[in-house]
Amino acid sequence: MARSINESGSSWVFPDGPLEEIASRCDVITAASLVGSCKFYHDSATQSVALPASQPFGMPCVLHTHQTEVPPAHNPFYRVHKFKQEGAQKDKQHDAKDRKGTLCQLTPLDRISSDAVIPDGGTGMWAGANGDWIALLGFPWNWELVNVYTGRRIPLPPISEFKSTPDKLVFESNDQHLQLLKIAICRVPTAASNYTSFSVLAIFNAAIAVLHCASSRWTVLDNQFLAYGYSDAIIHKGIVFAVTQTGEVYAWNQLSWGPLLISTAPIPPELDEQGRYNLGSWWLARSPDGSRLFLVHTWGVTDGRDYTGLVRILPAAATSEGRHGRTIRGYGKGLLGCEVYSMDTSQLMPPRPWRRIISLGSYSLFLGVNYPIIIPVEDGAEHDRPNMARSNSVYTSHHAVGLAYPPSPEICRFSLNSEDCTVGFQTNIRWTWRQVPLWLIPSFANARQWNLPSRHRLCRGGGDGHLEALTGDNINLIAAHLDVTYTVRLAACSRELYDMISKDEGKMHHWDEPCLLMPPPAYWFDEHWDVARTSRLHDTVYDLVPLDHPRRSVALPFMHDRKWLGANGDWIAAADHHEWCLVNVYTERHIPLPSLPDSKIDHSSFSYQPAYSFNWGPAIDLLKIVICQVPTKGGRYADYKLIALFDKTIFYLEGGGDWRMLEALTPAPDYPNYCDAIELRGHVFAVDETDGSTYFWDTANENLMLPFVIPPPVVDDQQYAWFLAPSADGKRLMIILTVNKIGIANAEVPPDIPYAANGLQLRQYPPVATYVFELDPLSTARAGDFLWRQVNSLSDHSLFLGLNYPIIANLKKRESKAPDGTLVPFMRKNCVYTAYRNIRYNQYPKILRCNLQPDEGETVGVISLPKDGWDSVRQAAMWFKPALNIARSVLPLKKQ
């Protein structure tokens, strides 16, 4: 695919082609929608080699509740907010403009799980699926079919014979309570029929209803012979077949006859004697060629009910192993089992007998609340272990919606090969799951139908191959689910795209607020770091966490096997085992940095360590790289200024030159103990953590004479953490000091308070002393009188200090205090925020917010990261401010 190069000649936007670049960063549902947005992308996708490798197209997957899913009021990933309320007031069939989508999880059998964003169902429940369509249940009688790729919605009429109840799954008919099990989408709507013709079965425990058109009525299929509740139903050759919980199969021909009991359960004697069929489920499906009816019986899968008086088969796992971020358990023979039977239904009066199927050949069955899927599956092996995706197997999930207890194991693979055991895994880590898992095969096979003229389509772009074809809702959808860096690349493609993305008013990306750039939760929680790492797509995707909004991902491919050392604006200083470099977050422009002078630093004794470990008389440790001035295009990217801050010495670098050591000439072993440094108005300032003394050198002097020493603003016995920052106007030097250690008497640790907005853990600590002082260092140096002036208020600004270059953010629209005295909102003006002070800061990490004008008794807000294993994360969390303006700098110069 050709590169996307805009009129300004920039080729960094999508160097590998727009489709592969965007689709690989989107979730799979959004990627399929992108492929179907115009003919150019569709044709490119069918010829792409990279796209199938980046997305699980054509693979059987389990669509299920996201692992972070909690009730909407507490859900950090809940992206809809007011759009949900606004969209609910609009015509659901014709207007999908304001619908953002619901974050779910898609679990391929032999890949790690990934996010999936399907059209927002509000409080609706998934009740069935087939192809591109899912059935959603709302209340009351708010049933609809929804296309997961286009968002097209087809409302279904209520069943006039049934009366609704407060429970959306329970109905009443003739004083009988009916429990809805699922909606079987037997024939999907198509563009050829103008989406008006389809076949749907509503399967209840004691009733079956069929619908063939949205404008018609449901037909309830009576069955006076029914003794036990239904389990499953399908339409096969125009006849409705239903199986009960005990294996009896009934049939209805809606035009002439029914119901007809065509068989009882074909249970093997040995199974019947043990009573295991009472614990099983019955399913109906069709043969691969559609000629025969399949009856499937699975047994041994249990739930949380009481089976007093029955032989309960406990699924005791014989083996277990972690694969792709989930635990796969194997069950010995005799614990769980499956039988498949086949019948030729061309003659039903009398019916022909069931025949036992001992092999499905290259095919496998996928059963659940979804309509049965039978597809060929290739066997394979991964690292000498068999894949979960196997031929000649039956895969099962939940047999009904709204189960009080999920089955255990939840996802099963029953092999028809007698020598293979049954294996299974769970999709949800909590019992409070909202949606029943569905089998779904992501695909853009029907994308040509999506492009037919229709007002429902998210995008009907021209097809000339330019991203300008992506307008309106499709851009909003894609931008909402791209990571931050690739959203900037999308905005850089054209003026129209930039304007559209920049006008989202902060709903998605919060461009104007400092965020925490940090490793994703998979590195921190629940799993060992090595296991968590394998469960990620790759180790170059990080989290960008606004303090009061849902976290976003940020892709940093250049960080593979690198450690960041500092940041400023769009640039990150990074190091691997060989070099230091500067890299632009968005363009990935790479600027290698010169090595430190051999005359000053001994590299040889530390050659086996990364490029931030050195020897200089005493052993020295690199704390961070301070990017005092970022490289710019006008300066040919050679106008940067850097400080390499070590604990005992400092080096200074200007673009195009060599590192120069800034010496203090203090006698050994009384070396300075530096903790922070910045460059201001041509001078380098560094603060000594021991007593707060500040050294500064004139960088204009090539010989770098001995520094001036500015005495500390506070002299007492308290241990402080010292930071340096420029004032908001860049003319004065500020020094910030906070108490180095915070805590509660008797070493008590306050409880963690989960913050729903972004998933972080907050704590409240007693107030700590925080001071800000400032001076004009050049004027006072000439006068020889260094007098610090205390700053009592930052007005509408707040300071964000840490590994990054100090950020002074204008938060005029924010409050300085919470109206109810609580910890949130966490982003406030007139506060000092501190994060990791350097890359080697090995104390228990706490990210603090200290108010410069606290009320009496006001506590300190703390973001608490896990203590166990945090030092193996490799990357220290730092402040980073997303920026969209770099996209504007490379846009074509044309009239808006």
Side-chain angles (χ1 to χ4, degrees), residues 3-15 488-489 492-494 586-589 633 637 886-892:
R3 290 187 176 187
S4 171
I5 304 178
N6 60 28
E7 297 174 21
S8 65
S10 174
S11 61
W12 63 266
V13 180
F14 294 115
V488 173
R489 294 188 176 207
C493 290
S494 73
Y586 304 108
T587 68
E588 299 181 22
R589 177 182 288 273
K633 184 178 180 180
Y637 299 102
I886 189 172
R888 189 182 184 90
S889 67
V890 299
L891 284 174

Side-chain angles (χ1 to χ4, degrees), residues 198-225:
F198 50 84
S199 296
V200 173
L201 294 178
I203 307 172
F204 299 83
N205 62 333
I208 303 286
V210 60
L211 178 70
H212 294 293
C213 179
S215 60
S216 63
R217 295 181 54 188
W218 290 89
T219 300
V220 179
L221 304 180
D222 296 326
N223 188 353
Q224 65 273 25
F225 307 112

Side-chain angles (χ1 to χ4, degrees), residues 72-89:
H74 307 285
N75 186 354
F77 291 94
Y78 200 62
R79 304 186 186 279
V80 183
H81 299 299
K82 74 173 185 178
F83 289 103
K84 177 181 288 292
Q85 286 77 33
E86 293 175 357
Q89 306 302 321

Side-chain angles (χ1 to χ4, degrees), residues 776-787:
D776 184 339
L778 303 187
S779 299
T780 54
R782 287 191 292 268
D785 187 10
F786 297 100
L787 293 178

Side-chain angles (χ1 to χ4, degrees), residues 124-139:
M125 300 176 64
W126 304 339
N130 189 355
D132 302 343
W133 297 83
I134 60 173
L136 280 178
L137 301 181
F139 179 84

Side-chain angles (χ1 to χ4, degrees), residues 318-467:
T319 61
S320 64
E321 61 174 323
R323 300 188 64 190
H324 307 294
R326 67 192 74 102
T327 300
I328 307 297
R329 291 183 170 86
Y331 300 87
K333 296 180 180 179
L335 291 177
L336 296 91
C338 173
E339 295 87 31
V340 181
Y341 302 89
S342 172
M343 175 185 287
D344 181 357
T345 59
S346 60
Q347 176 181 320
L348 293 176
M349 298 181 184
R352 295 179 177 178
W354 292 106
R355 295 176 54 190
R356 179 79 175 269
I357 300 295
I358 61 174
S359 175
L360 294 174
S362 61
Y363 288 83
S364 284
L365 261 171
F366 297 84
L367 306 173
V369 170
N370 54 281
Y371 204 67
I373 300 171
I374 184 165
I375 57 172
V377 177
E378 294 184 2
D379 292 329
E382 182 184 84
H383 306 299
D384 298 325
R385 295 180 298 176
N387 287 350
M388 269 293 290
R390 302 284 298 277
S391 62
N392 196 30
S393 299
V394 175
Y395 295 81
T396 63
S397 177
H398 295 214
H399 69 274
V401 66
L403 296 177
Y405 301 93
S408 178
E410 190 176 23
I411 306 299
C412 286
R413 185 194 71 197
F414 300 92
S415 176
L416 297 189
N417 298 323
S418 58
E419 65 275 8
D420 293 340
C421 68
T422 300
V423 297
F425 64 90
Q426 304 295 120
T427 64
N428 297 284
I429 59 175
R430 298 180 176 90
W431 284 75
T432 57
W433 43 268
R434 283 187 55 211
Q435 304 286 12
V436 59
L438 301 171
W439 290 104
L440 180 73
I441 301 179
S443 172
F444 51 86
N446 297 323
R448 290 189 179 276
Q449 292 188 21
W450 305 343
N451 280 315
L452 291 177
S454 168
R455 63 178 296 184
H456 310 293
R457 183 66 193 110
L458 290 175
C459 170
R460 301 186 301 277
D464 57 358
H466 296 292
L467 286 173

